[in-house]
Amino acid sequence: MTGKIHSFESFGTVDGPGIRFVVFMQGCPMRCKYCHNPDTSDFPGGNEYTAQEVAEKALKYKHYIQKGGGVTVSGGEPLMQAAFVKELFTILKREGVHTALDTSGINFNPTDETIKELLSVTDLVLLDIKHIDDGEHKMLTGHSNAKPLQFAKYLSDTGKDIIIRHVLVSGITDNDNYLLKLKEFIAQLKTVKAVEVLPYHTMGEVKYEKMGIAYPLKVVNPPDKSRVENAQNILRGEL
Ligand code: SF4
């Protein structure tokens, strides 16, 4: 089958352990105000590839990605094309390649067999929790956080390794009460291997300009180092 893909990165170092071949899928139902990949949002864009073609591209780098790295499928939102990613990961697992899924969990459905099958060939889930407060999550992304949180619990209950990622945005997620609430939630999960705080940055702004759309967070500055450390300390349970 074919998947709609926005782009590839051959030597990714920030989306999972080690050196990774990263596949950015096209299409995302969310509309995060800080999205730095707004050009991945619309499903009609992107190019079509078969799972075999993408696997072959990734396997060209097998020598590099084998040693502690692997392949990460990111987005956009990879669960929108779960059947394609399942096929791709099935090929990669056969080749002994580590697989990671970078997702917001917004498309999770506990009765969806394709997602379950995809998870059976996924070694690690990088789960982006956008906001722990449901109202704020809706303001930030246009959607409730119910599914992402349900997905986190499902991954924990089924023994799937998780890295939690959280974008720190001044005035939105950079708030000790919310961070403590998020920490409480993470503490209930049994399979969290790491928590990553990603400082909000304005690098996406240029893309919005090129696309001729208004940048939603124009007046927000990136958080300073001390606030990033504060968030890391809270979320990693050191405060
Ligand atoms: S989930 Fe990711 S790709 Fe989708 S809108 Fe949010 S930041 Fe952008």
Side-chain angles (χ1 to χ4, degrees):
M1 78 176 302
T2 59
K4 282 209 162 200
I5 291 171
H6 175 266
S7 55
F8 302 101
E9 188 182 350
S10 312
F11 290 94
T13 54
V14 293
D15 294 311
I19 295 172
R20 308 193 71 84
F21 186 85
V22 186
V23 182
F24 295 93
M25 303 300 294
Q26 185 73 29
C28 180
M30 303 254 269
R31 289 294 177 267
C32 303
K33 288 184 178 167
Y34 55 64
C35 183
H36 55 279
N37 288 328
D39 45 346
T40 65
S41 294
D42 287 333
F43 195 64
N47 294 309
E48 286 198 26
Y49 292 86
T50 65
Q52 186 63 40
E53 283 169 338
V54 176
E56 281 166 17
K57 273 181 182 288
L59 290 169
K60 277 191 205 156
Y61 301 93
K62 195 172 174 185
H63 177 69
Y64 300 98
I65 62 180
Q66 245 177 353
K67 302 167 195 154
V71 172
T72 298
V73 176
S74 183
E77 175 46 61
L79 289 184
M80 268 181 88
Q81 302 186 69
F84 170 82
V85 185
K86 179 193 85 176
E87 203 176 312
L88 171 63
F89 279 7
T90 302
I91 301 169
L92 293 170
K93 287 314 302 167
R94 234 183 272 139
E95 295 287 333
V97 174
H98 181 273
T99 54
L101 194 65
D102 176 16
T103 174
S104 71
I106 199 69
N107 286 78
F108 177 60
N109 172 353
T111 62
D112 185 330
E113 289 304 317
T114 308
I115 290 182
K116 286 185 194 166
E117 287 166 16
L118 164 58
L119 290 172
S120 74
V121 284
T122 301
D123 293 310
L124 171 72
V125 175
L126 309 170
L127 180 63
D128 297 299
I129 298 185
K130 308 291 183 187
H131 209 300
I132 194 62
D133 180 88
D134 194 38
E136 293 285 335
H137 195 279
K138 283 181 189 148
M139 296 255 286
L140 183 62
T141 71
H143 292 262
S144 162
N145 66 9
K147 285 196 176 167
L149 300 188
Q150 190 187 16
F151 187 46
K153 286 184 187 143
Y154 179 86
L155 294 171
S156 167
D157 291 347
T158 53
K160 188 61 62 186
D161 286 352
I162 313 170
I163 291 181
I164 300 283
R165 309 176 105 188
H166 190 57
V167 179
L168 193 70
V169 192
S170 306
I172 298 180
T173 56
D174 186 9
N175 169 309
D176 284 2
N177 289 334
Y178 289 142
L179 292 167
L180 286 162
K181 209 173 149 196
L182 178 58
K183 170 64 196 166
E184 256 173 52
F185 176 77
I186 294 171
Q188 296 168 35
L189 306 172
K190 299 182 285 276
T191 54
V192 175
K193 300 297 163 199
V195 179
E196 294 178 355
V197 173
L198 311 175
Y200 161 75
H201 59 72
T202 54
M203 286 188 276
E205 208 170 334
V206 180
K207 285 192 187 171
Y208 285 80
E209 271 168 28
K210 277 192 191 151
M211 291 169 72
I213 47 179
Y215 185 61
L217 289 184
K218 200 131 201 138
V219 289
V220 176
N221 290 318
D224 62 38
K225 203 168 155 240
S226 67
R227 290 307 300 172
V228 177
E229 283 170 3
N230 173 69
Q232 282 167 341
N233 290 337
I234 291 178
L235 295 180
R236 291 173 188 166
E238 289 160 18
L239 274 188

